[in-house]
Amino acid sequence: MEKILPYWVEENPLLIGILNFILDRRDSQLERGKEARISFRLDLRAGSKRWLEVLEPLRDPDQDEQELWNELQHFAREYQCFTVKPNPKRRPGIAEWQGAQLIFRDASEEQLRLWLNRPSPTVRQSAWTSLLEPYVDRFENPAAFPLEGLELQPGFDSVEEIIACWVSVGKELIFADKISWRQLAARCFKGDSKYLELPSRQSLVRNLYPDLSRKIQERQLLLHAYLPRQFEQVIFIENQDTFISLAELQPSRAALVYSEGYQGGAERIRNGERVRFSTINVVSENIRQQFLSWWHDGESRTVPTFFWGDLDYEGLRIAAALRKSFPDLQCWRPGYDLLLHFLRTGKAHAPEQAEKVGQKLVQAIGCQYADSTLLPAISGSNRYVDQEAVEIGELAGTLV
């Protein structure tokens, strides 16, 4: 095989993604000490999240999927890094690539590593050990670092600089009484307050500093609400404009909560120590306390709870997330019925129009109305409607 990766391979996002994914899988095997055959199917409906990201070019309307497929087959024939087996169950009219199986040839691993400049984990581990050695005593548990070490990331001049940042985490925690994740990240990682938002990085902090990390406070949720004098139902609203418009109707029996997307689905949403409310209307402390009492101790009083968001998979996924904290929550029929009318009268948008191609199919969320009506309507039409399409005045009689 050639020692230089063919230029056209690097220009094929599907193929270069597959080659890197193969080495990712092999590296994972080597780190676990257990090698096995590597094979995958080109199936946009199944596989890990990472594999579906690799296959994303096949969804991209700016890419020629037939050209991507032709080049992949040509590469397989000419360079024999993997074999391609067509899908024997492919139906007429289905693209040739769909369901095809790729089987990696182990003998090509060394060449593939040379092409992609990706040494094996054992080589990287040796270099990493040398870099980390001067700092080992700065961590409570240095063994928490990945065996292959940390990779150089954009914005850092060297791996040593990254290690120094992780060392500074310990220094910051030693002198802090309490600190938030964003404060810790901004002070230790070049002013980037969001650096530690990835669960994997937070996990690394906890494992490197198991005792000191107890000083870190989880970020509080800030929720906005409209509270009437007496509330007989609670409605979560996905989008800000709709929440404000509904609140301006001043419903006399419905409390409204702006959940700001997935934030409302957090498991800690009913934890009194981690949630803060602000109200957009003036209410007495007594009214506020009545609402907070129900919110934090919902079992003492049953209040019908609803969710209204966009008529798309992500909106209904938020409803499913909220049901983890509010098990009886249902999708709010008055709002969704209006969105269904838009959908059924041809006033809905295709996923490509609103950059929603990546939304994942939802089979069921546990709400009978959503599972029997809303989800089938979406899947059957492959069209979505955002809740801002509704004229809020049409809901006045429902809320007041």
Side-chain angles (χ1 to χ4, degrees), residues 372-386:
S372 65
T373 303
L374 301 181
L375 286 170
I378 296 173
S379 61
S381 64
N382 194 30
R383 291 292 187 273
Y384 303 141
V385 186
D386 293 344

Side-chain angles (χ1 to χ4, degrees), residues 237-239 242 307-318 336 339 349 356 359 374 378 384-389:
I237 308 298
E238 178 182 356
N239 298 316
T242 303
F307 172 80
W308 182 36
D310 296 334
L311 185 58
D312 58 20
Y313 289 125
E314 289 304 302
L316 294 176
R317 202 179 300 276
I318 297 172
Y336 276 111
L339 295 180
H349 58 268
K356 296 182 179 181
Q359 290 198 5
L374 301 181
I378 296 173
Y384 303 141
V385 186
D386 293 344
Q387 67 176 167
E388 290 91 343

Side-chain angles (χ1 to χ4, degrees), residues 27-44:
D27 286 352
S28 177
Q29 292 179 353
L30 291 172
E31 289 160 9
R32 298 195 311 268
K34 185 177 180 180
E35 294 186 48
R37 188 183 77 159
I38 298 175
S39 66
F40 309 96
R41 285 197 180 277
L42 301 182
D43 188 347
L44 297 177

Side-chain angles (χ1 to χ4, degrees), residues 119-134:
S120 68
T122 53
V123 174
R124 295 201 303 269
Q125 183 180 351
S126 176
W128 165 254
T129 301
S130 299
L131 289 174
L132 185 62
E133 187 175 0

Side-chain angles (χ1 to χ4, degrees), residues 27 42 52 76 82 107 133 166 203 208 266 272 288 314 347 356 378 396:
D27 286 352
L42 301 182
L52 294 179
F82 50 78
E133 187 175 0
W166 284 98
S203 177
L208 287 172
R288 179 183 176 86
E314 289 304 302
K347 300 177 181 179
K356 296 182 179 181
I378 296 173

Side-chain angles (χ1 to χ4, degrees), residues 283-325:
V283 296
S284 69
E285 185 60 24
N286 182 52
I287 293 174
R288 179 183 176 86
Q289 289 305 317
Q290 286 182 11
F291 178 78
L292 293 178
S293 177
W294 167 81
W295 183 274
H296 299 308
D297 187 20
E299 295 183 0
S300 63
R301 177 190 173 193
T302 301
V303 176
T305 308
F306 302 92
F307 172 80
W308 182 36
D310 296 334
L311 185 58
D312 58 20
Y313 289 125
E314 289 304 302
L316 294 176
R317 202 179 300 276
I318 297 172
L322 279 168
R323 282 176 59 86
K324 295 178 181 178
S325 298

Side-chain angles (χ1 to χ4, degrees), residues 9-217:
V9 175
E10 298 186 65
E11 296 176 355
N12 184 315
L14 173 66
L15 185 49
I16 196 68
I18 287 174
L19 296 180
N20 275 293
F21 187 78
I22 286 172
L23 286 188
D24 289 343
R25 179 59 60 86
R26 177 48 50 84
D27 286 352
S28 177
Q29 292 179 353
L30 291 172
E31 289 160 9
R32 298 195 311 268
K34 185 177 180 180
E35 294 186 48
R37 188 183 77 159
I38 298 175
S39 66
F40 309 96
R41 285 197 180 277
L42 301 182
D43 188 347
L44 297 177
R45 300 166 300 175
S48 67
K49 180 180 179 181
R50 176 73 182 97
W51 178 238
L52 294 179
E53 290 175 351
V54 170
L55 300 184
E56 189 61 31
L58 293 171
R59 298 179 186 266
D60 189 345
D62 294 331
Q63 298 287 343
D64 186 334
E65 65 177 282
Q66 188 60 48
E67 182 178 350
L68 295 176
W69 170 241
N70 290 341
E71 289 186 352
L72 184 149
Q73 293 183 95
H74 175 72
F75 181 84
R77 290 192 301 267
E78 293 295 319
Y79 300 97
Q80 300 182 1
C81 286
F82 50 78
T83 57
V84 180
K85 289 188 175 182
N87 179 9
K89 299 181 180 180
R90 182 171 63 90
R91 300 189 304 274
I94 300 299
E96 184 183 356
W97 59 265
Q98 294 193 29
Q101 184 181 24
L102 307 184
I103 304 174
F104 179 55
R105 294 181 66 252
D106 292 342
S108 65
E109 180 180 339
E110 181 179 354
Q111 178 63 71
L112 192 55
R113 290 190 182 281
L114 288 173
W115 272 340
L116 300 178
N117 190 27
R118 291 188 53 173
S120 68
T122 53
V123 174
R124 295 201 303 269
Q125 183 180 351
S126 176
W128 165 254
T129 301
S130 299
L131 289 174
L132 185 62
E133 187 175 0
Y135 307 96
V136 166
D137 61 349
R138 309 289 184 89
F139 304 99
E140 292 179 351
N141 178 29
F145 280 115
L147 290 176
E148 71 276 15
L150 301 176
E151 295 183 356
L152 182 60
Q153 300 163 347
F156 294 91
D157 297 328
S158 65
V159 175
E160 291 92 331
E161 185 179 24
I162 298 177
I163 294 175
C165 289
W166 284 98
V167 169
S168 69
V169 169
K171 294 179 180 178
E172 195 67 38
L173 290 175
I174 287 174
F175 294 104
D177 292 326
K178 59 182 180 179
I179 193 170
S180 71
W181 284 107
R182 289 204 172 189
Q183 290 169 332
L184 184 63
R187 296 172 191 177
C188 300
F189 294 93
K190 308 183 77 166
D192 183 0
S193 66
K194 298 180 180 179
Y195 185 86
L196 293 175
E197 288 201 345
L198 290 177
S200 59
R201 291 176 181 169
Q202 292 186 5
S203 177
L204 183 55
V205 171
R206 292 190 181 99
N207 290 324
L208 287 172
Y209 304 99
D211 292 328
L212 289 173
S213 61
R214 295 172 184 171
K215 297 181 177 182
I216 302 174
Q217 291 187 317

